[in-house]
Amino acid sequence: MCSMAAVAVACVVAGCSHIPWRPLALAACPGVLRPIDQIDGEFVLQHSVRIRTKDLDIPLRLVVQKTADELVAIGFNPIGAKLFTVVQRSQGTEVDALPRPVLAVSPLSVFRDLHRIRFLAAPLPDTGDGRSSQSFAGTVVSDTWRAGTLIRRELTAASQPWPTTLSFEPGASSVAVDNPSCGYQSKWVTVSEQAIPRAW
């Protein structure tokens, strides 16, 4: 017997105008985005992401490309079907996604976690050890460093009752996110990372 998820995917592919069921979904979670002109470099990233709540287990694959004036993130489900695209430019952020009844997580919530992990960083201390802090649009980011390696990040915002914490696994390309204010935890693994060479 077909699962409800399979029925929903088949319905979307077939262009159904109505999906007669609504799965549990993680509510949209607030957060800040670093302006595109403050994100250095041009690159392509691939992340394996797993988001967990009390009732949900959401696996995703995220492909990210940053060029001079644009940051694009495309989310796929485990079988390779595209779920959403988020595009950040200097004039704002655009989202193109499957209908809400199909999605178990807000694309912008995933995009905000991408920023928390990759782009909202406090400066490295001169000694390479200890803590450093920086504020981004009302969110205070506090990083903990050990021998020049980032091991923990804490983000505190007035809009959220508890801080979001990120634990970076030393020597590995994985980050654990704990966001108690929004009721989820996630694990991000960097599958690949490549700089885009400049055209001469």
Side-chain angles (χ1 to χ4, degrees), residues 79-178:
I79 62 173
K82 187 170 77 169
L83 301 176
F84 60 80
T85 301
V86 182
V87 182
Q88 181 186 1
R89 301 184 181 94
S90 58
Q91 62 267 35
T93 304
E94 300 173 1
V95 178
D96 180 22
L98 291 181
R100 182 172 173 79
V102 179
L103 292 177
V105 63
S106 160
L108 274 176
S109 295
V110 178
F111 197 68
R112 288 168 183 144
D113 266 351
L114 172 70
H115 272 255
R116 290 182 180 105
I117 292 168
R118 306 286 314 201
F119 310 128
L120 298 180
L124 172 68
D126 292 339
T127 62
D129 287 281
R131 299 190 69 183
S132 60
S133 297
Q134 186 167 342
S135 180
F136 297 91
T139 294
V140 177
V141 178
S142 299
D143 285 350
T144 302
W145 301 81
R146 183 179 300 155
T149 298
L150 179 62
I151 60 172
R152 180 181 172 87
R153 173 168 294 155
E154 185 174 282
L155 301 99
T156 306
S159 61
Q160 295 185 289
W162 299 287
T164 299
T165 58
L166 282 61
S167 300
F168 295 80
E169 186 175 342
S173 299
S174 65
V175 184
V177 179
D178 184 12

Side-chain angles (χ1 to χ4, degrees), residues 5-6 9-10 13 59-61 75-83:
V9 171
V13 171
L60 298 170
R61 181 168 61 90
F76 299 88
N77 73 6
I79 62 173
K82 187 170 77 169
L83 301 176

